[in-house]
Amino acid sequence: AQSVTQPDIHITVSEGASLELRCNYSYGATPYLFWYVQSPGQGLQLLLKYFSGDTLVQGIKGFEAEFKRSQSSFNLRKPSVHWSDAAEYFCAVVDMYSGGGADGLTFGKGTHLIIQP
Amino acid sequence: EAQVTQNPRYLITVTGKKLTVTCSQNMNHEYMSWYRQDPGLGLRQIYYSMNVEATDKGDVPEGYKVSRKEKRNFPLILESPSPNQTSLYFCASALSGTGATEAFFGQGTRLTVV
């Protein structure tokens, strides 16, 4: 079964600084990869997704992520964070070759992003 | 507005008292799913439904039931809630269950079982 690892439980970044959130997946073939954001008291919102093609994908709110097959990684980046980016971030994967989305999204445990003024 | 609506948003109940959390989507999505979110564990899938009258277990189905009689609704039923079901629950829907379409999430239901 696929698994998703987000090594950092908490990350603190100063406002205006760059951000990188790490995500590694364990899976044989090419999965569908996602990043979701959960603001306090809210549901999850899709930031971006990777299915195939260009390995650098752009998302909403100025985020981007890069798929690196050799490292089984899909790290999320933002050049300059804003205080409103403080939230919980989840990396997720769908196994396209074991019933596809019937297994649903497999989520990482999340990374809590704290923005310092 | 396209959305997934869960009710209630907050619920405190006692052990053993049956409850239902409703989920409704207005996007004509075929795929719907329930997750629970617990600190340090992320989101784990409880049940999912590929279409009307088609439901299946996710990773943590014990203690839960679901039904999908209509395309838009996917209620989560706890027949006899226990304190270990205290959690934040999310309903999600997607156009299809292939994973190739975006999943939309409700705002969550925070359940406390005492």
Side-chain angles (χ1 to χ4, degrees), chain B residues 17-29:
Chain B
K17 185 176 181 181
K18 181 180 179 180
L19 66 91
T20 300
V21 183
T22 63
C23 174
S24 180
Q25 50 93 5
N26 62 1
M27 295 167 279
N28 202 35
H29 284 171

Side-chain angles (χ1 to χ4, degrees), chain A residues 6 8-10 21 35-40 43-45 47 85-90 108-113, chain B residues 37 40 42-43:
Chain A
Q6 293 180 246
D8 305 304
I9 298 174
H10 300 277
L21 301 182
W35 274 100
Y36 282 86
V37 60
Q38 182 183 27
S39 298
L44 280 78
Q45 181 183 23
L47 283 176
D85 293 325
E88 191 84 15
Y89 291 80
F90 292 95
K109 294 182 179 179
T111 297
H112 185 61
L113 176 63
Chain B
Q37 182 181 13
L43 282 89

Side-chain angles (χ1 to χ4, degrees), chain A residues 32 38 42 51 90 96 101-102 109, chain B residues 37 40 48 90 97-98 100 107:
Chain A
Y32 285 1
Q38 182 183 27
Q42 301 295 314
F51 290 165
F90 292 95
M96 286 307 301
K109 294 182 179 179
Chain B
Q37 182 181 13
Y48 64 91
F90 287 101
T98 65
Q107 290 197 295

Side-chain angles (χ1 to χ4, degrees), chain B:
Chain B
E1 180 189 355
Q3 60 185 5
V4 178
T5 304
Q6 295 178 229
N7 280 296
R9 291 289 309 279
Y10 302 91
L11 178 61
I12 300 175
T13 190
V14 297
T15 299
K17 185 176 181 181
K18 181 180 179 180
L19 66 91
T20 300
V21 183
T22 63
C23 174
S24 180
Q25 50 93 5
N26 62 1
M27 295 167 279
N28 202 35
H29 284 171
E30 291 188 347
Y31 182 84
M32 297 186 75
S33 180
W34 277 102
Y35 295 87
R36 60 177 288 174
Q37 182 181 13
D38 301 291
L41 297 177
L43 282 89
R44 295 176 292 168
Q45 190 180 50
I46 303 171
Y47 268 94
Y48 64 91
S49 169
M50 297 292 280
N51 213 325
V52 175
E53 301 292 1
T55 64
D56 212 340
K57 296 177 181 178
D59 297 319
V60 288
E62 294 78 19
Y64 304 94
K65 284 176 56 177
V66 293
S67 69
R68 188 91 181 274
K69 293 183 171 56
E70 309 165 275
K71 200 170 189 177
R72 65 182 293 126
N73 296 323
F74 191 45
L76 179 70
I77 304 157
L78 285 71
E79 294 270 4
S80 182
S82 62
N84 65 12
Q85 293 178 297
T86 292
S87 187
L88 179 59
Y89 292 85
F90 287 101
C91 180
S93 74
L95 191 60
S96 75
T98 65
T101 58
E102 177 182 351
F104 291 81
F105 285 80
Q107 290 197 295
T109 295
R110 185 165 293 281
L111 172 66
T112 302
V113 183
V114 298

Side-chain angles (χ1 to χ4, degrees), chain A residues 18-34:
Chain A
S18 63
L19 169 71
E20 183 170 28
L21 301 182
R22 296 183 290 164
C23 173
N24 292 95
Y25 63 91
S26 171
Y27 182 61
T30 299
Y32 285 1
L33 295 159
F34 305 81

Side-chain angles (χ1 to χ4, degrees), chain A residues 19-95:
Chain A
L19 169 71
E20 183 170 28
L21 301 182
R22 296 183 290 164
C23 173
N24 292 95
Y25 63 91
S26 171
Y27 182 61
T30 299
Y32 285 1
L33 295 159
F34 305 81
W35 274 100
Y36 282 86
V37 60
Q38 182 183 27
S39 298
Q42 301 295 314
L44 280 78
Q45 181 183 23
L46 180 68
L47 283 176
L48 47 78
K49 60 191 176 190
Y50 173 78
F51 290 165
S52 64
D54 191 347
T55 56
L56 183 64
V57 294
Q58 303 297 321
I60 62 171
K61 305 186 180 188
F63 285 92
E64 66 178 26
E66 186 171 13
F67 169 61
K68 292 185 177 179
R69 185 191 303 276
S70 61
Q71 298 176 18
S72 296
S73 69
F74 188 56
N75 294 349
L76 181 71
R77 301 194 294 247
K78 187 170 185 178
S80 175
V81 297
H82 186 261
W83 65 266
S84 60
D85 293 325
E88 191 84 15
Y89 291 80
F90 292 95
C91 183
V93 62
V94 168
D95 179 346

